[in-house]
Amino acid sequence: MNTAPLIVDLDGTLIHTDMLHESALRVSRDRPLDVLRIPLWLLQGKAVLKSRLASRSSFDASLLPYNESLLDWLKEERAAGRRIVLCTASDRTIADAVASHLGVFDDVLASDGDVNLAGDHKADALERHYGHGNFDYVGNSSADLKVWRRARRAIVVNGARGLARKAAELCSVEREFPPQKRGFTAWRKVLRVHQWMKNLLLFVPLLAAHRVTDIDGWLTLVLAFVSFSLCASTVYIANDLLDLESDRAHPRKRLRPFASGAVPAWQGVLLAPVLLAVSLALGAMVGGTFLPWLLFYFVLTCVYSWGLKRVILLDCITLAMLYTLRITAGAAALSMPLSFWLLAFSVFLFLSLAFVKRYAELQTQALSGKQKVHGRGYYTSDEPLVLNLGVTAGYASAVVLALYLNSDVVLELYARPEAVWGTVPVLIFWISWIWMQAHRGHMHDDPVVFAVKDRASRLAGLAFGAALVIGALGWPW
């Protein structure tokens, strides 16, 4: 039996994240004014900073992204009679919560507000407790080389290239746990590239005005599309960073890069402002009044991420506004006036889709046996009401479309106005179909993504477009 105690690091080792970064993110979300105090706390030392942040934020230890393969091995070692100790530079309150949840540790050593238990401080503490060369240490970074120098054996977890070799020069390497694979897929998910299709709404004003042959307009909107997409990615990153616990409580969102720890949170913090700067630079090149609308979109999405997403009903209304803002921004890029009919139609349609999104979340949480949606203002018992509100909003968009088709504008734009009436039953079918699928539990978290992948939705879109083309070109029946 291996009698040497096994000392385990927390950040980046036992969990695929860093609790200092997560504590700072939670404070910036829940107590934004305290962010101004962070430099003052840091001047007093890292231990003070960690203590202050930990005392001002709470977390659920059961939701952390644990290194399951390492955790399974630790349980095996403990079952074999080995003493397991959690030793971390994170604050004591965080370490105790993790240890209490896992139940595999015999002791806990952590930063206490006076000493930051990292590097030499950690090595000194372990040598005092167990003696030089009398313990095995589980770590993940070059900072742990100072500890491995005084350890008997090293267990390298999530190590960068060459770390195990450096550790082997100091002590015997007992085992390696390879890092998570990231690659292009993880970064594609960070940027939410699949969500960029929503920004195709920028092209709606050009198409609605029948300016299909306007090459300059297309080029302007392509530039606006890239600018808007990078801005949206900035917001998606910020939203994911501020919503880590809610995502981890969700059966599918827990696999997102930041929630799962596949991409470190600090990389998102650095990437977001770079994307925003590029987005604004491109937005300034678009011209017209596009940039103010882009800035308004960014501010509204930030307000949504910081608070409105947790306010019942206002969250869905805000989502509908964000969709409609894309159409408004497209018209602004071309210096085109916006039709009242188009705005009214889009508000009701996207309000319906926003309720679909919430309804799908309520279904998922209800199946998990929860009464309240984490990070939202809804109870699972609200499910029938959300369905009714969403269906009503969807049918209201069909009514707006029907009223528009009876206006004088249609007579001016379409050679065969009667053909365009075919869009109304198509829209009614699609709204009904989307809600039928949502009711059956088939809905993706995002209805737009679902619609792109759904065959019936694609056929409905083709039929809707065909009715518009026939009406515009005046093709014979």
Side-chain angles (χ1 to χ4, degrees):
M1 183 178 71
N2 197 338
T3 57
L6 187 60
I7 316 300
V8 185
D9 181 40
L10 178 64
D11 300 310
T13 303
L14 182 61
I15 57 176
H16 295 296
T17 187
D18 188 297
M19 293 307 296
L20 173 59
H21 300 158
E22 294 211 7
S23 297
L25 288 170
R26 280 193 292 273
V27 167
S28 68
R29 181 195 64 194
D30 300 332
R31 306 178 67 163
L33 291 179
D34 279 344
V35 174
L36 301 175
R37 300 181 180 180
I38 289 180
L40 299 177
W41 296 334
L42 185 57
L43 287 174
Q44 300 174 60
K46 254 191 161 182
V48 173
L49 172 65
K50 292 175 180 179
S51 177
R52 297 290 190 274
L53 289 175
S55 66
R56 285 164 170 77
S57 63
S58 60
F59 75 103
D60 187 343
S62 67
L63 297 177
L64 291 176
Y66 291 99
N67 188 326
E68 295 297 340
S69 58
L70 173 61
L71 188 56
D72 290 341
W73 182 67
L74 294 178
K75 291 176 180 178
E76 292 174 4
E77 292 296 302
R78 190 168 193 269
R82 198 170 187 183
R83 182 176 176 80
I84 313 292
V85 178
L86 179 63
C87 183
T88 174
S90 287
D91 190 71
R92 180 84 194 196
T93 56
I94 293 174
D96 286 341
V98 170
S100 176
H101 167 66
L102 294 178
V104 298
F105 296 106
D106 298 291
D107 197 4
V108 175
L109 300 174
S111 298
D112 57 5
D114 294 319
V115 177
N116 180 40
L117 204 65
D120 288 326
H121 290 302
K122 180 180 286 190
D124 291 341
L126 291 175
E127 191 169 34
R128 283 196 307 271
H129 276 78
Y130 306 107
H132 186 91
N134 292 331
F135 61 90
D136 298 342
Y137 181 71
V138 186
N140 74 297
S141 72
S142 57
D144 294 317
L145 292 172
K146 295 179 179 180
V147 181
W148 281 322
R149 187 182 300 277
R150 309 191 202 183
R152 186 188 69 154
R153 292 177 181 169
I155 294 87
V156 181
V157 180
N158 296 332
R161 186 187 300 272
L163 182 62
R165 176 180 53 78
K166 293 177 182 178
E169 295 173 356
L170 304 173
C171 63
S172 172
V173 175
E174 178 179 344
R175 184 165 181 173
E176 281 189 70
F177 291 84
Q180 296 185 90
K181 293 183 180 179
R182 270 189 250 171
F184 174 75
T185 300
W187 286 107
R188 178 174 55 81
K189 291 180 179 178
V190 166
L191 297 176
R192 304 265 196 98
V193 174
H194 65 283
Q195 298 283 10
W196 289 6
M197 68 181 69
K198 297 176 182 177
N199 299 326
L200 293 174
L201 290 170
L202 290 162
F203 295 87
V204 168
L206 184 71
L207 298 174
H210 294 192
R211 290 171 52 179
V212 181
T213 59
D214 184 354
I215 302 301
D216 290 338
W218 282 102
L219 293 176
T220 297
L221 289 179
V222 167
L223 186 61
F225 174 84
V226 176
S227 172
F228 222 90
S229 296
L230 293 180
C231 182
S233 290
T234 301
V235 177
Y236 289 136
I237 290 173
N239 186 61
D240 286 351
L241 290 174
L242 296 174
D243 216 17
L244 290 174
E245 283 206 334
S246 294
D247 285 350
R248 288 168 183 163
H250 194 280
R252 289 184 294 275
K253 293 181 181 180
R254 65 184 178 84
L255 301 177
R256 287 177 173 174
F258 295 123
S260 66
V263 176
W266 67 266
Q267 294 185 9
V269 172
L270 293 180
L271 179 61
V274 173
L275 292 178
L276 180 61
V278 176
S279 169
L280 295 179
L282 294 176
M285 295 170 60
V286 171
T289 55
F290 175 78
L291 186 58
W293 283 110
L294 178 66
L295 286 170
F296 180 55
Y297 169 83
F298 175 72
V299 171
L300 184 58
T301 49
C302 289
V303 173
Y304 172 79
S305 297
W306 256 272
L308 286 181
K309 68 187 299 180
R310 296 171 182 82
V311 181
I312 187 170
L313 299 180
L314 280 182
D315 60 336
C316 291
I317 294 173
T318 305
L319 283 176
M321 290 177 61
L322 290 173
Y323 276 108
T324 306
L325 270 175
R326 290 170 165 90
I327 297 176
T328 306
L334 300 173
S335 299
M336 290 175 53
L338 260 180
S339 163
F340 162 80
W341 296 108
L342 181 58
L343 287 177
F345 170 75
S346 61
V347 166
F348 283 114
L349 176 62
F350 295 128
L351 181 59
S352 180
L353 297 183
F355 278 123
V356 167
K357 183 179 176 69
R358 286 293 174 263
Y359 181 79
E361 291 179 354
L362 289 172
Q363 277 190 322
T364 300
Q365 298 300 324
L367 290 174
S368 301
K370 298 179 180 179
Q371 294 184 339
K372 194 175 187 302
V373 181
H374 192 284
R376 300 289 186 268
Y378 295 88
Y379 292 89
T380 52
S381 58
D382 295 328
E383 190 179 316
L385 178 60
V386 171
L387 185 149
N388 288 332
L389 292 172
V391 172
T392 301
Y395 284 167
S397 69
V399 172
V400 171
L401 178 60
L403 292 173
Y404 164 72
L405 295 178
N406 195 42
S407 68
D408 295 336
V409 179
V410 175
L411 297 176
E412 298 175 4
L413 287 175
Y414 295 92
R416 297 287 300 266
E418 63 274 15
V420 189
W421 272 96
T423 59
V424 176
V426 172
L427 179 63
I428 292 174
F429 163 80
W430 185 69
I431 292 294
S432 304
W433 173 259
I434 283 288
W435 277 102
M436 183 69 73
Q437 297 309 302
H439 183 66
R440 292 178 176 179
H442 300 161
M443 181 55 58
H444 189 278
D445 295 326
D446 193 309
V448 175
V449 175
F450 172 85
V452 172
K453 297 179 179 180
D454 177 56
R455 182 182 178 185
S457 296
R458 292 197 300 268
L459 291 175
L462 288 174
F464 192 94
L468 292 176
V469 170
I470 292 173
L473 298 180
W475 290 354
W477 294 100

